[in-house]
Amino acid sequence: MEPVGAVATRTDRAPSVEGLDAASLLDLHRRMVRIRVFETEAGRLMESGDLPGFLHLYVGQEAVAAGALATLTDADQITSTHRGHGHAVAKGAGFRKMFAELFGRVDGYCHGRGGSMHINDLSIGMLGANGIVGAGLPIAVGAAFAARYRGDGSIAMTFFGDGASNIGAFHEAANMAAVLQLPVVFVCENNGYAEFTAQARHMRLDDVADRAAAYGMPSEVCDGMDAVAVRQACRRAVDRARAGEGPSLVEAKTYRYYDHQGVKGLRKPYRTQEEIDAWKARDAIELLEARAAADGVVDAAEFARVWEETRADAVDAIAFARASPLPDPATLTRDVYTD
Amino acid sequence: MEPVGAVATRTDRAPSVEGLDAASLLDLHRRMVRIRVFETEAGRLMESGDLPGFLHLYVGQEAVAAGALATLTDADQITSTHRGHGHAVAKGAGFRKMFAELFGRVDGYCHGRGGSMHINDLSIGMLGANGIVGAGLPIAVGAAFAARYRGDGSIAMTFFGDGASNIGAFHEAANMAAVLQLPVVFVCENNGYAEFTAQARHMRLDDVADRAAAYGMPSEVCDGMDAVAVRQACRRAVDRARAGEGPSLVEAKTYRYYDHQGVKGLRKPYRTQEEIDAWKARDAIELLEARAAADGVVDAAEFARVWEETRADAVDAIAFARASPLPDPATLTRDVYTD
Amino acid sequence: MAVRELTYVKAYTEALHQLMGADDDVFVVGEDVAGYGGVFHMYDGLLAAYGERRMIDTPISETAIVGLGVGAAARGLRPVVDIMFMDFLAVCLDQLVNQAAKMKFMFGGEVRVPMVLTVAAGAGLSAGAQHSQSLEAWLAHTPGLKVAMPSSAHDVKGLMVTAVRDDNPVVMMLNKKLLGAKGAVPEELYEVPFGQAAVLREGTDVTVVALGRMVVEATAAAGTLAAEGISVEVVDPRTVQPLDTATIAESARRTHRVVVVHEAVTFGGLGAEIAAQVTDAAFDHLDAPVLRVGAPFAPVPFSPALENAYLPDRTRIAEACRQITKRS
Amino acid sequence: MAVRELTYVKAYTEALHQLMGADDDVFVVGEDVAGYGGVFHMYDGLLAAYGERRMIDTPISETAIVGLGVGAAARGLRPVVDIMFMDFLAVCLDQLVNQAAKMKFMFGGEVRVPMVLTVAAGAGLSAGAQHSQSLEAWLAHTPGLKVAMPSSAHDVKGLMVTAVRDDNPVVMMLNKKLLGAKGAVPEELYEVPFGQAAVLREGTDVTVVALGRMVVEATAAAGTLAAEGISVEVVDPRTVQPLDTATIAESARRTHRVVVVHEAVTFGGLGAEIAAQVTDAAFDHLDAPVLRVGAPFAPVPFSPALENAYLPDRTRIAEACRQITKRS
Ligand SMILES: Cc1ncc(C[n+]2csc(CCOP(=O)(O)OP(=O)(O)O)c2C)c(N)n1
Ligand SMILES: Cc1ncc(C[n+]2csc(CCOP(=O)(O)OP(=O)(O)O)c2C)c(N)n1
Ligand SMILES: [Mg+2]
Ligand SMILES: [Mg+2]
């Protein structure tokens, strides 16, 4: 895989903003900005030593979560990964509970028990981030099974990385979903790396999407820096799922701006500055703003207001999180079992 | 998958015996007959209550082991499955130690500790049957790694079923072998069933071979009732491996005559009599004998002698096994560790 | 009412049949559970009764099978997941121990995972080292899981009813060698509560705590020993997570001697946990250290000649009881 | 000669560096072990020294990674397999427990599987429930495996040398929170024998048997208690499979009181096994039941406020020692 070349190719494919109205574009934009702001603040807090534990930031990949989750309702279920903040935010999770969880406070989504890698919100169909690579995929298949079993019209969507497509759980989950023709969408966020290992060194395909054929499953590749393109590709897959036509795989080519974990590269450079710059030149949020402005669909001021509101939301949420009490050690063995 | 139709298709592809000399044909024949005789006797012994434990018989699939293992030397390593007798026999394992193991006697390959599912013979590169579906695949990848690491020119081959191609270990092993470009051949024995579940209900492809594309690995399908065809396909894969061109997948379409375990169907019919008859009409041994005779390459009397010798070998081996002592319980904790 | 007898395996099938009849949320998923009825015949007749919607045959994909159960359970269904041999847990343990077991706690308490995972455990059938293990020690050491080890047809049904109705992940360990064992089983649905040991036989000289099939062996040993004048109390914990230490310790305080028996290898087995808890709770009442009877430290051997010597049985249990009663 | 100090993690790297220098059959395989040098920096410099032939980066495929190790070891190489966090064992346990551990026995004795599996274990870094476990109890219960739990830089190097030279599969459990801890480490290659506990501090009132990082906590507690007039003997088994019961029991017979400490949850942990063995071996010498100090029965919590309370530490160990010495 030669990422810079790949970017060039994908530019050709990138759909225009046409066909999407202002509300839809603002919806995509708001989801992306909320992720960007949340993650940037989280990164800052981590750098300043305020947050315990690991932090796998989503900055750079916003178009994927935004585009994909714009196609779902709260009744639809998702499972996520170690890099899960973007999915939670785009699915509608609130900043207050999210920041509180990162701080390990009692008002967090997991009441401080889970941390970054276990954020979940059952009320909006967010079935959880996951610390085990690939483990969310079979769980999403189970959620899709439940949806069909009940005939409630909902579907499931699961996110996974290029690296995760090499683990057995991916293979088993994809085949199971295909054999049972379950309403689930597999969204591969291909950011070109599994930790510090480039895709070319962990698989011999350019497109993870090509693996779908092994399960008799339709797939497509889309530009993961273009929220509109992701939304369109996921919409097709979601429609198939809702129509009872079974699972699909959507691969979005994207990039993470920060390091695998945390903000700065730890020690060893494993990506070139040129590569990073080339991807940032096609930043998903800038791209959407520029296109919408060029097409005259959304007024730039509206975008500015989203940024402003979101930043204010983050300020509020961080203050809330800092003020939230630490969990009480006396509750340690609570919620291990339901009774 | 519609097995009978599939057979018809494969008949067209079936190569003739031309190009193989008498010695090569007799070699294939002898391997197949040895499997057939061993398994038939083992089945008989099981029916009469002489053998403890499970028995997954290989009868019907002889062309696969024979054709595949005719391409290897004793230095090459194989890993096998729960249905492993055929691979052991075709790799050169002796009847005496094999029968003794089935009887649970001290002179068996595992000294009575392993049983049918763990027969191995390191002296001929038989790295063991396996009771866990799919588990032999990564082990073969490790053997291939060792071969390349040492640069000793040997390769590895691993057998697995259509059903096994759905387990994560298959996916991971295939991808690992491809990424590291290791000298290993993946031989899928597609007998159309995983236990009592037909292929169409456990995957949505006709050819397991199509899964190789997910790893950037070459593959081909061959007629698993035609030992010559299997030999040719495996030869191409083995040559690639030896030439440093990495792994390949060969799928052989075949059929087991007996039940998944044991000899007779336990309770529920899950295959039709027509299907069974159609496959038996193309019995691998009969096919080879008939072709060789028609082409005039091998005299029928030579084939008859192989049968005779092999039957005598089985009689001898069974007597040997029956006479072999039971293992001594005092040795129970021996060989758990090397020291 | 005449006492009706059922085999251990049929008691399981009947429990499931009735539970499925009572609750549409209960379904079964696994390899060959539907069309074939399960390789151990555990699911016979359920496909005919409940159809393909609720009886799901799968590919050989244990991680996805258990994961399907986890996801469906998190969405409120009550999956019964079958993975055939307990040994196969090793290919799918993550979904059980890192997902199902921890989900509620990690998620902050909101979610429930009412999944039952059924496995066939135990040795004695010459099935070899990869098809004969008793791995309850791994599971009972995992917070979030419950683990049932029925020793009779009666308990199979009652524990299965409790398991399916439980809102936590439960592992049902059916013992392969007991599948055909008959016992009295009430026709109606009834629960055997988790965490309540059964005192199957009262005695005064020694308490034998036995798990799974070893209960049968312990009871037989108790009969033999009675003739020798040794009075054995047999306690069956029935679930090892939760574990009813109170009943065991109470018995120990009366008999002053405890033998613990299980099929698993002694080292690191639950016999150690039971011994530690009993010793802690009844230290001043014990005349001898708790004696553990388990398998020697080796994989399960194939040959019956070895496997018979490997597995604890009534003879070894009786021997242990004689030894411990002699000591003081 | 001046004593040279190294960190725990550098002692590991040095051992491997020297072992690879001495034996071409030793190689390392795992995710990000080569180019990046390991996420815990365990393999820094080894790619430069030994090249891509012997330092193998892999896809995220733990089953295939361990399987590669098993196959290569069965062919006579000496793989060092890294699977990062111990919790990830759950996705690849089959290759370790059903293949590597059982192979020699099942195969009738011919094969050897000289593989070392390195995992980073333990809690205390707010890594959450799926990145913090201590699962030695699963492994030590598995015949065929050996399990080392070094508590110091010195033992990391010595145990690693022994592990790589051992012809059996060995799991090296490195404790994440100890990675930066410094200690004296000889420059040359040396072995710390398996199955030989170290008596790190002699004492007369109570024996504390501690595993892994808990050794550090136990030693600190011993210091505190000395000031209170309680004399603590600290024993570090160093390997839990094999386990040096003799040394522990010998100590118990002198002190008459034993406390066992580990990070893992108490229920079903190796504290039970140690307690059972010690009680068996020294019953008449014990003034009190063995006291176990472990984690409460819950997954590892994320928030430091909870995790600190969850993990055993010097305070809880000291408290246990005070309690047990008060008893009699
Ligand atoms: C089973 C398992 N193996 C390894 C890891 C360590 N790990 C965490 S994230 C990661 C890389 C994942 O790569 P990818 O799927 O491409 O996702 P990305 O980080 O690029 O978003 C690895 C190896 C893990 N958490 N779980
Ligand atoms: C991990 C695992 N799952 C399930 C089984 C039980 N099992 C043994 S053989 C088999 C079917 C295998 O099918 P296939 O791979 O097609 O091989 P075949 O039996 O047809 O030769 C199953 C499910 C097992 N041994 N291991
Ligand atoms: Mg990635
Ligand atoms: Mg098959």
Side-chain angles (χ1 to χ4, degrees):
Chain A
M1 211 197 54
E2 210 285 271
V4 178
V7 173
T9 317
R10 285 197 295 280
T11 310
D12 310 336
R13 288 207 286 277
S16 107
V17 144
E18 283 160 51
L20 280 198
D21 58 16
S24 302
L25 288 175
L26 273 166
D27 172 74
L28 289 175
H29 182 259
R30 181 182 303 274
R31 290 180 206 254
M32 289 199 289
V33 169
R34 287 184 65 77
I35 298 171
R36 178 73 51 96
V37 169
F38 182 89
E39 292 294 70
T40 308
E41 291 305 319
R44 239 196 285 277
L45 290 165
M46 197 202 200
E47 287 293 283
S48 61
D50 283 288
L51 302 185
F54 300 135
L55 209 63
H56 303 91
L57 296 173
Y58 197 79
V59 176
Q61 309 187 184
E62 292 88 348
V64 187
L69 294 168
T71 65
L72 300 187
T73 73
D74 281 357
D76 297 321
Q77 307 293 316
I78 66 165
T79 64
S80 166
T81 69
H82 59 287
R83 198 176 304 289
H85 304 168
H87 311 132
V89 168
K91 192 93 185 15
F95 278 9
R96 283 187 163 202
K97 287 180 161 189
M98 283 189 66
F99 274 119
E101 190 56 35
L102 297 195
F103 275 94
R105 302 303 168 92
V106 79
D107 294 306
Y109 267 117
C110 316
H111 310 308
R113 282 144 191 267
S116 163
M117 283 191 283
H118 304 295
I119 287 173
N120 68 95
D121 186 345
L122 300 191
S123 72
I124 54 169
M126 166 55 176
L127 263 182
N130 212 309
I132 304 294
V133 165
L137 288 101
I139 297 174
V141 171
F145 178 90
R148 199 194 37 203
Y149 192 87
R150 292 229 171 92
D152 64 12
S154 72
I155 68 158
M157 182 179 276
T158 180
F159 295 89
F160 64 106
D162 50 308
S165 80
N166 295 321
I167 201 163
F170 160 74
H171 176 73
E172 296 190 8
N175 188 57
M176 182 76 79
V179 165
L180 301 179
Q181 284 290 286
L182 295 174
V184 54
V185 178
F186 294 88
V187 179
C188 179
E189 309 194 73
N190 187 344
N191 60 13
Y193 292 86
E195 288 193 350
F196 314 101
T197 300
Q199 183 184 346
R201 292 181 68 93
H202 70 64
M203 58 191 289
R204 284 170 62 85
L205 295 180
D206 288 336
D207 297 330
V208 173
D210 288 347
R211 293 192 157 167
Y215 315 107
M217 193 192 289
S219 70
E220 67 177 293
V221 178
C222 65
D223 180 352
M225 304 310 271
D226 181 342
V228 174
V230 175
R231 185 179 185 275
Q232 288 171 333
C234 287
R235 170 66 68 200
R236 287 186 281 273
V238 167
D239 286 348
R240 269 195 298 273
R242 286 206 210 283
E245 291 165 24
S248 313
L249 192 157
V250 175
E251 174 181 7
K253 306 284 194 187
T254 184
Y255 204 71
R256 63 171 154 72
Y257 291 177
Y258 292 152
D259 208 339
H260 167 64
Q261 197 274 127
V263 175
K264 292 202 278 258
L266 291 173
R267 298 164 299 158
K268 308 228 178 151
Y270 56 97
R271 314 189 293 190
T272 63
Q273 194 57 47
E274 297 76 51
E275 179 181 296
I276 297 172
D277 292 344
W279 282 94
K280 284 190 173 173
R282 297 188 64 255
D283 180 81
I285 301 178
E286 287 172 15
L287 206 66
L288 188 84
E289 290 182 354
R291 295 253 183 99
D295 291 14
V297 193
V298 184
D299 194 64
E302 299 212 55
F303 289 139
R305 211 178 51 231
V306 171
W307 281 102
E308 221 170 279
E309 281 171 15
T310 306
R311 289 205 180 94
D313 199 6
V315 170
D316 159 77
I318 292 168
F320 171 85
R322 285 193 193 277
S324 173
L326 291 168
D328 179 359
T331 65
L332 250 185
T333 56
R334 198 186 283 168
D335 285 331
V336 179
Y337 296 97
T338 60
D339 41 19
Chain B
M1 209 197 52
E2 211 285 270
V4 179
V7 173
T9 316
R10 285 196 298 279
T11 309
D12 309 338
R13 290 205 287 277
S16 106
V17 145
E18 282 159 50
L20 280 199
D21 58 15
S24 302
L25 289 175
L26 273 166
D27 172 74
L28 290 175
H29 182 259
R30 181 181 304 273
R31 290 180 205 254
M32 290 199 288
V33 168
R34 287 184 65 78
I35 298 170
R36 178 72 52 95
V37 168
F38 183 89
E39 292 293 71
T40 307
E41 291 305 318
R44 237 196 286 276
L45 290 166
M46 197 201 199
E47 287 293 282
S48 60
D50 283 288
L51 302 185
F54 300 134
L55 208 64
H56 303 92
L57 297 173
Y58 196 78
V59 176
Q61 308 187 185
E62 292 88 350
V64 187
L69 294 168
T71 66
L72 300 187
T73 74
D74 281 356
D76 299 320
Q77 306 293 315
I78 66 165
T79 65
S80 166
T81 69
H82 58 287
R83 198 176 305 289
H85 304 169
H87 311 131
V89 168
K91 193 92 184 19
F95 279 9
R96 284 186 163 203
K97 286 181 161 189
M98 283 189 66
F99 274 119
E101 190 56 36
L102 298 194
F103 275 94
R105 302 305 167 91
V106 79
D107 293 306
Y109 267 117
C110 317
H111 309 308
R113 281 142 192 267
S116 163
M117 285 192 282
H118 305 295
I119 286 173
N120 68 96
D121 186 345
L122 302 190
S123 72
I124 54 169
M126 166 55 177
L127 262 183
N130 211 308
I132 304 294
V133 165
L137 287 102
I139 297 173
V141 170
F145 178 90
R148 199 198 33 208
Y149 192 87
R150 293 230 171 92
D152 64 12
S154 72
I155 69 158
M157 181 179 277
T158 178
F159 295 89
F160 64 107
D162 50 306
S165 80
N166 295 319
I167 201 162
F170 159 75
H171 176 73
E172 296 191 7
N175 188 57
M176 182 75 78
V179 166
L180 302 179
Q181 284 289 286
L182 295 174
V184 54
V185 178
F186 294 88
V187 180
C188 179
E189 309 194 73
N190 187 344
N191 60 13
Y193 293 86
E195 288 193 351
F196 315 101
T197 300
Q199 184 185 346
R201 294 181 69 94
H202 71 64
M203 60 190 289
R204 284 169 62 85
L205 295 179
D206 287 336
D207 296 331
V208 174
D210 288 347
R211 293 192 158 167
Y215 316 107
M217 192 192 290
S219 70
E220 68 176 292
V221 178
C222 66
D223 180 353
M225 304 309 272
D226 182 342
V228 174
V230 174
R231 185 179 185 276
Q232 287 171 335
C234 288
R235 170 67 66 201
R236 287 184 283 271
V238 166
D239 286 349
R240 271 194 296 272
R242 285 207 210 280
E245 292 165 22
S248 313
L249 192 157
V250 174
E251 175 181 7
K253 307 283 194 186
T254 186
Y255 204 72
R256 63 170 154 72
Y257 291 177
Y258 292 152
D259 207 340
H260 167 64
Q261 197 275 125
V263 176
K264 291 203 277 259
L266 290 174
R267 297 166 299 158
K268 307 227 179 154
Y270 55 96
R271 313 190 294 190
T272 63
Q273 194 56 47
E274 296 77 51
E275 179 180 297
I276 298 172
D277 291 344
W279 282 94
K280 286 192 172 174
R282 297 187 64 255
D283 181 81
I285 302 178
E286 288 173 14
L287 207 65
L288 188 84
E289 291 182 354
R291 295 250 184 102
D295 291 15
V297 193
V298 185
D299 193 65
E302 299 212 56
F303 289 139
R305 211 179 49 233
V306 171
W307 282 100
E308 222 170 280
E309 281 171 16
T310 307
R311 288 206 180 95
D313 200 6
V315 169
D316 159 78
I318 292 167
F320 170 85
R322 285 192 194 278
S324 173
L326 291 168
D328 178 358
T331 65
L332 251 184
T333 55
R334 198 186 285 167
D335 285 330
V336 178
Y337 297 96
T338 59
D339 40 23
Chain C
M1 204 176 78
V3 181
R4 187 194 52 151
E5 295 222 322
L6 280 186
T7 59
Y8 186 95
V9 65
K10 283 292 155 230
Y12 176 81
T13 314
E14 180 173 283
L16 205 40
H17 202 322
Q18 295 177 342
L19 289 160
M20 290 179 82
D23 184 352
D24 185 67
D25 285 345
V26 181
F27 71 96
V28 179
V29 62
E31 293 158 22
D32 290 310
V33 294
Y36 199 75
V39 295
F40 298 108
H41 311 232
M42 287 178 194
Y43 304 98
D44 264 348
L46 297 182
L47 177 64
Y50 297 108
E52 292 202 339
R53 173 169 167 272
R54 300 179 65 192
M55 294 299 303
I56 322 294
D57 276 333
T58 69
I60 308 176
S61 306
E62 281 80 4
T63 296
I65 296 167
V66 181
L68 188 154
V70 176
R75 295 294 299 139
L77 297 184
R78 298 193 165 273
V80 174
V81 173
D82 183 291
I83 66 150
M84 243 186 261
F85 289 81
M86 185 168 210
D87 316 66
F88 305 166
L89 275 180
V91 301
C92 58
L93 203 59
D94 180 70
Q95 285 292 335
L96 184 65
V97 304
N98 284 337
Q99 312 299 331
K102 297 180 174 40
M103 194 176 272
K104 182 179 185 62
F105 181 89
M106 287 187 313
F107 278 19
E110 305 302 313
V111 78
R112 293 170 179 222
V113 187
M115 174 177 83
V116 176
L117 184 82
T118 299
V119 295
L125 301 176
S126 298
Q130 295 172 335
H131 284 76
S132 303
Q133 292 169 89
S134 287
L135 299 168
E136 64 276 4
W138 291 358
L139 307 179
H141 185 51
T142 305
L145 295 184
K146 297 186 178 182
V147 186
M149 297 181 71
S151 67
S152 68
H154 174 274
D155 284 0
V156 166
K157 182 168 177 183
L159 290 169
M160 185 61 184
V161 173
T162 307
V164 169
R165 290 176 178 167
D166 198 294
D167 275 343
N168 301 284
V170 178
V171 178
M172 279 291 292
M173 285 177 60
L174 301 189
N175 188 288
K176 292 196 280 290
K177 234 195 146 170
L178 286 181
L179 293 175
K182 283 198 162 179
V185 178
E187 303 208 12
E188 70 279 7
L189 280 175
Y190 59 94
E191 296 190 8
V192 167
F194 284 5
Q196 278 189 24
V199 179
L200 295 178
R201 183 184 174 115
E202 300 195 348
T204 53
D205 294 330
V206 54
T207 300
V208 177
V209 183
L211 304 186
R213 186 170 70 80
M214 290 301 112
V215 172
V216 176
E217 296 300 307
T219 305
T224 307
L225 292 167
E228 299 174 20
I230 300 175
S231 166
V232 177
E233 180 141 317
V234 178
V235 180
D236 176 1
R238 304 199 286 198
T239 59
V240 290
Q241 191 56 267
L243 177 69
D244 179 3
T245 309
T247 297
I248 301 170
E250 190 277 322
S251 174
R253 280 188 285 265
R254 281 189 285 98
T255 64
H256 311 298
R257 295 172 200 88
V258 179
V259 172
V260 191
V261 199
H262 54 56
E263 276 195 45
V265 295
T266 303
F267 192 106
L270 285 183
E273 179 62 34
I274 294 169
Q277 290 202 22
V278 170
T279 306
D280 199 54
F283 187 68
D284 295 330
H285 301 269
L286 291 183
D287 288 345
V290 175
L291 196 51
R292 294 182 289 159
V293 180
F297 205 59
V300 183
F302 162 69
S303 179
L306 295 172
E307 197 180 27
N308 288 338
Y310 178 88
L311 283 174
D313 60 8
R314 52 197 71 186
T315 311
R316 276 181 63 199
I317 297 168
E319 201 38 61
C321 291
R322 286 185 202 107
Q323 185 187 327
I324 202 170
T325 48
K326 231 177 277 169
R327 174 164 172 144
S328 48
Chain D
M1 202 176 80
V3 181
R4 187 193 54 148
E5 295 224 318
L6 279 186
T7 59
Y8 186 94
V9 65
K10 283 292 154 235
Y12 176 81
T13 314
E14 180 172 286
L16 206 39
H17 202 324
Q18 295 176 343
L19 288 160
M20 290 179 81
D23 184 353
D24 185 67
D25 285 344
V26 181
F27 71 96
V28 179
V29 61
E31 294 158 22
D32 289 309
V33 294
Y36 198 74
V39 296
F40 299 108
H41 312 231
M42 287 179 196
Y43 305 97
D44 265 349
L46 297 182
L47 177 64
Y50 297 108
E52 292 203 341
R53 173 170 166 270
R54 300 179 65 191
M55 295 298 303
I56 322 293
D57 276 334
T58 70
I60 309 176
S61 307
E62 281 79 4
T63 297
I65 296 167
V66 182
L68 188 153
V70 176
R75 294 295 299 138
L77 297 184
R78 298 194 166 272
V80 174
V81 173
D82 182 292
I83 66 149
M84 245 188 257
F85 289 82
M86 184 168 211
D87 317 66
F88 306 164
L89 274 181
V91 301
C92 57
L93 204 59
D94 180 70
Q95 285 293 334
L96 183 65
V97 304
N98 284 336
Q99 313 299 331
K102 297 180 175 39
M103 194 176 274
K104 184 180 183 60
F105 182 89
M106 288 188 312
F107 278 19
E110 305 304 313
V111 77
R112 295 172 178 220
V113 187
M115 173 177 84
V116 176
L117 185 81
T118 298
V119 296
L125 300 177
S126 299
Q130 295 172 336
H131 285 75
S132 303
Q133 292 169 88
S134 287
L135 299 169
E136 64 276 5
W138 291 358
L139 308 179
H141 185 51
T142 305
L145 297 184
K146 297 186 178 182
V147 186
M149 298 180 71
S151 66
S152 69
H154 174 275
D155 285 0
V156 165
K157 182 168 178 183
L159 289 169
M160 185 62 182
V161 172
T162 308
V164 168
R165 291 176 177 168
D166 198 292
D167 276 342
N168 301 283
V170 178
V171 179
M172 279 291 292
M173 285 176 61
L174 301 189
N175 188 289
K176 292 196 280 292
K177 234 194 146 171
L178 287 181
L179 293 174
K182 283 198 163 179
V185 177
E187 304 209 10
E188 71 279 7
L189 278 175
Y190 58 94
E191 297 192 6
V192 168
F194 284 6
Q196 277 190 25
V199 178
L200 295 178
R201 184 184 174 114
E202 300 195 346
T204 53
D205 295 330
V206 54
T207 301
V208 177
V209 183
L211 305 186
R213 186 170 70 81
M214 290 302 111
V215 171
V216 177
E217 297 299 308
T219 305
T224 307
L225 292 167
E228 298 173 21
I230 301 176
S231 166
V232 177
E233 179 141 316
V234 178
V235 180
D236 176 0
R238 304 199 285 197
T239 58
V240 290
Q241 190 58 266
L243 177 70
D244 179 3
T245 309
T247 297
I248 302 170
E250 190 278 324
S251 174
R253 279 188 285 265
R254 281 190 286 97
T255 64
H256 312 299
R257 297 172 198 88
V258 179
V259 172
V260 190
V261 199
H262 53 58
E263 277 197 43
V265 296
T266 304
F267 192 105
L270 284 183
E273 180 63 34
I274 294 169
Q277 290 201 23
V278 170
T279 305
D280 198 52
F283 188 68
D284 296 328
H285 302 267
L286 291 183
D287 288 345
V290 174
L291 197 52
R292 294 182 289 159
V293 180
F297 205 61
V300 183
F302 162 69
S303 179
L306 295 173
E307 197 180 26
N308 288 339
Y310 177 88
L311 283 174
D313 60 8
R314 52 197 73 187
T315 312
R316 275 180 64 199
I317 297 168
E319 201 38 61
C321 290
R322 288 186 200 106
Q323 186 187 325
I324 201 170
T325 48
K326 230 176 278 167
R327 171 163 175 147
S328 47

